[in-house]
Amino acid sequence: MTLTPEQRAEIDAARNATHATLRPTVAALEEYLFKPVPVLDHGFVRVVDYMGDDSAVVQAARVSYGRGTRKALEDEGLIRYLMRHYHSTPFEMCEIKFHVKLPIFVARQWIRHRTANVNEYSARYSILDKDFYLPAPEQLAVQSADNKQGRGAVLDAATAAHVLRLLRADADQTYAHYEEMLGEDIGLARELARMNLTLNTYTQWYWKTDLHNLFHFLRLRADAHAQYEIRVYAEAMLDMVQAWVPLSYKAFCDYRLGAVTFSAKMVEILRRMLAGEAVAQAGSGLSKREWAEFMAALGR
């Protein structure tokens, strides 16, 4: 992770400042506040601000005036009910804002989640840092033969080293040309000079979202099938969410992250199986891919 002395001083100043407040705070998340958590080789994610906690979810569901006097066990039961039955509005009452430094190609995946407020570092006004993502050799793999958006076998050491040389050389050359075009001899506008930079160049943004939509993001991006380079950001954010809203996080893990969904046809087949009937894919009404996913969910 690369932080300039000025950025570190800014973070230290923010963490050393204290503010009196009447609103609920979460001690475990306060420990994360402003601290950059390293991700990949030069990236990070840090919590900048948040609003609400588990009690805000409960308060919204009950439309009560204060934090309430019910027992924590009752609050947990309500949160689990809301999650289990897809009552999403109470979870929208909690919000969180992250500062993220990430490669441009990861940002282009991330921005597909259109239910957040985003403000990205502008290369029209500022000069991008000379930071590029270079994968660890064990992350360099061939194209999967049966998954159009996945990876197959890891490259051998010699081939991986060659790929890394290519990536590093391309990034160094394009950044050198970027600097040359910005220099006094040419003085090209920043909004034009940026266009030759490689997609592994790091960008930064502030990303603010509510808890419901954050859970949706994490369900997709913390999944084992998600691309590694975005999954590691999601995994870092999972730890922060657990510190922030532990009851909601536990319900999310049980009913979303660690759960599977069966179609109506799959439920019908499962009932037939439980009744002792031998059901094969050919007569199931499921495609081969659906059948394989169904069997994998059943551990067969």
Side-chain angles (χ1 to χ4, degrees):
M1 180 179 64
T2 305
L3 288 175
T4 66
E6 292 77 13
Q7 288 170 326
R8 291 189 181 277
E10 182 181 347
I11 291 170
D12 290 341
R15 282 199 55 80
N16 289 332
T18 58
H19 307 277
T21 179
L22 294 177
R23 67 178 179 85
T25 58
V26 181
L29 188 62
E30 292 284 320
E31 288 300 310
Y32 276 104
L33 206 58
F34 305 120
K35 290 180 180 178
V37 174
V39 184
L40 299 179
D41 50 357
H42 298 295
F44 62 76
V45 57
R46 66 186 184 117
V47 180
V48 177
D49 201 1
Y50 67 98
M51 179 185 74
D53 56 8
D54 279 323
S55 68
V57 177
V58 171
Q59 181 189 51
R62 294 180 176 142
V63 197
S64 60
Y65 291 98
R67 294 175 68 87
T69 58
R70 293 176 182 261
K71 296 179 180 179
L73 188 61
E74 295 179 35
D75 287 351
E76 182 176 11
L78 175 56
I79 287 173
R80 293 180 69 81
Y81 176 88
L82 296 171
M83 184 70 70
R84 189 164 65 249
H85 292 278
Y86 292 86
H87 294 305
S88 59
T89 305
F91 296 102
E92 295 174 6
M93 299 299 115
C94 296
E95 293 194 350
I96 191 166
K97 180 164 64 176
F98 296 99
H99 176 199
V100 189
K101 182 175 182 179
L102 68 173
I104 291 174
F105 74 91
V106 176
R108 296 305 160 255
Q109 279 190 326
W110 195 313
I111 204 66
R112 295 294 299 158
H113 297 268
R114 299 181 296 276
T115 50
N117 304 112
V118 186
N119 193 49
E120 186 174 1
Y121 185 95
S122 176
R124 292 187 67 193
Y125 304 107
S126 304
I127 298 174
L128 288 170
D129 295 334
K130 190 179 180 180
D131 283 335
F132 313 105
Y133 168 61
L134 294 176
E138 61 268 21
Q139 295 303 328
L140 294 172
V142 300
Q143 177 64 44
S144 171
D146 55 6
N147 184 347
K148 292 182 179 179
Q149 55 180 359
R151 303 177 190 182
V154 175
L155 297 178
D156 63 80
T159 306
H162 176 63
V163 169
L164 287 172
R165 284 194 296 271
L166 292 175
L167 291 172
R168 186 177 291 106
D170 287 347
D172 285 339
Q173 182 184 59
T174 56
Y175 195 88
H177 290 167
Y178 173 64
E179 290 183 309
E180 181 180 348
M181 288 185 287
L182 290 172
E184 293 183 1
D185 291 344
I186 298 177
L188 189 66
R190 291 172 181 171
E191 66 179 21
L192 292 172
R194 62 181 173 168
M195 64 184 171
N196 78 318
L197 291 172
T198 51
L199 290 178
N200 63 338
T201 305
Y202 274 85
T203 185
Q204 298 184 44
W205 63 28
Y206 279 84
W207 192 76
K208 181 175 72 70
T209 190
D210 62 63
L211 183 57
H212 165 61
N213 286 297
L214 177 57
F215 278 152
H216 178 68
F217 170 85
L218 294 174
R219 182 180 67 83
L220 295 174
R221 300 306 184 177
D223 186 87
H225 297 93
Q227 183 172 343
Y228 167 79
E229 282 79 12
I230 195 169
R231 189 171 72 245
V232 289
Y233 283 92
E235 289 170 348
M237 294 162 76
L238 280 175
D239 292 337
M240 299 172 183
V241 174
Q242 184 178 20
W244 176 30
V245 282
L247 299 182
S248 299
Y249 173 83
K250 184 178 178 182
F252 165 70
C253 289
D254 284 347
Y255 297 119
R256 299 288 187 276
L257 194 61
V260 295
T261 301
F262 289 153
S263 67
K265 176 66 71 174
M266 290 176 179
V267 172
E268 177 190 335
I269 294 169
L270 184 57
R271 286 175 177 154
R272 289 164 59 189
M273 290 178 168
L274 291 173
E277 182 180 346
V279 184
Q281 184 272 322
S284 68
L286 300 180
S287 68
K288 290 183 179 180
R289 185 167 184 174
E290 284 180 300
W291 181 261
E293 292 172 355
F294 182 44
M295 290 296 102
L298 295 178
R300 296 190 176 187

